[in-house]
């Protein structure tokens, strides 16, 4: 398991790179799970073990769409530029697979994702934390249907009100503490 964080400006190829890494992870997992031999007909669903996190719903939808498009293209042995990027990533994982194996693995992954779409985990960071909190609700003695809403305008308003009530910096604020309960 590893964590990759990408920070880049618009138009720099983030979606291409992240989709390539997601697809390479799928191929590597399939290769490790079923090897270079016959792909069994039963569902392996390796996509359930990969999590992609984005910041916006629009980015999530775009990432899912691109991953599906690239899976299809590779399964049909199309899109040489994307294939080369995936192979480069697989090489960095020390995974050696042929173009035909990549086509077979991506065909299998595409079918699995489409048949198990609700477990295709490319989600917003807010959704991720919501799921995490829901999972931990019982241990934290919180209601099982806990929902966290963040209202930035309300938080900013409270901070401004606090500042206007007491414009002199307190010791807490000097030391970096927000001074809010």
């Amino acid at each position: 398991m590893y964590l990759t964080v990408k920070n880049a400006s618009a138009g720099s190829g983030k979606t291409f790179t992240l989709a390539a890494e997601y697809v390479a992870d799928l191929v590597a997992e399939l290769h490790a799970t079923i090897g270079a031999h016959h792909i069994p007909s039963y569902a392996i669903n390796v996509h359930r073990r990969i999590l992609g996190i984005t910041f916006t719903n629009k980015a999530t939808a775009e990432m899912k769409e691109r991953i599906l498009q690239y899976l299809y293209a590779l399964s049909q042995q199309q899109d040489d530029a994307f294939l080369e990027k995936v192979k480069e990533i697989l090489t960095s994982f020390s995974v050696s697979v042929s173009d035909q194996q990549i086509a077979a693995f991506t065909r299998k992954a595409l079918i699995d994702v489409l048949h198990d779409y609700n477990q295709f985990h490319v989600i917003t960071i807010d959704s991720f934390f919501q799921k995490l909190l829901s999972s931990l609700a019982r241990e934290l003695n919180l209601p099982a249907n806990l929902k966290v809403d963040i209202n930035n305008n309300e938080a900013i308003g409270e901070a401004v009100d606090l500042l206007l009530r007491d414009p002199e910096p307190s010791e807490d604020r000097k030391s970096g503490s927000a001074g809010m309960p």
Side-chain angles (χ1 to χ4, degrees), residues 2-15:
Y2 66 95
L3 172 68
T4 302
V5 176
K6 300 289 182 197
N7 182 15
S9 60
S12 62
K14 287 186 304 290
T15 304

Side-chain angles (χ1 to χ4, degrees), residues 56-119:
T56 66
N57 289 325
K58 182 180 176 187
T60 297
E62 181 182 359
M63 183 62 64
K64 283 183 166 185
E65 182 179 336
R66 289 277 191 91
I67 289 168
L68 292 173
Q69 288 172 348
Y70 289 134
L71 284 172
Y72 177 78
L74 291 182
S75 73
Q76 301 300 307
Q77 296 187 313
Q78 301 168 352
D79 200 334
D80 291 338
F82 192 76
L83 175 63
E84 290 308 311
K85 184 66 176 176
V86 169
K87 287 168 63 175
E88 174 187 318
I89 296 166
L90 288 169
T91 299
S92 74
F93 296 162
S94 300
V95 174
S96 177
V97 292
S98 68
D99 293 0
Q100 292 76 22
Q101 288 173 311
I102 291 173
F105 289 146
T106 54
R107 189 175 310 111
K108 172 73 172 134
L110 179 61
I111 291 167
D112 287 352
V113 168
L114 291 175
H115 286 234
D116 190 36
Y117 194 79
N118 62 331
Q119 297 298 317

Side-chain angles (χ1 to χ4, degrees), residues 8-42:
S9 60
S12 62
K14 287 186 304 290
T15 304
F16 178 86
T17 301
L18 291 172
E21 289 183 8
Y22 190 97
V23 170
D25 284 343
L26 285 172
V27 170
E29 285 287 325
L30 280 166
H31 184 264
T33 303
I34 60 180
H37 308 292
H38 172 70
I39 298 175
S41 60
Y42 61 87

Side-chain angles (χ1 to χ4, degrees), residues 42-62:
Y42 61 87
I44 294 173
N45 296 320
V46 297
H47 64 281
R48 291 180 174 196
R49 297 188 293 246
I50 302 172
L51 172 64
I53 298 178
T54 64
F55 283 102
T56 66
N57 289 325
K58 182 180 176 187
T60 297
E62 181 182 359

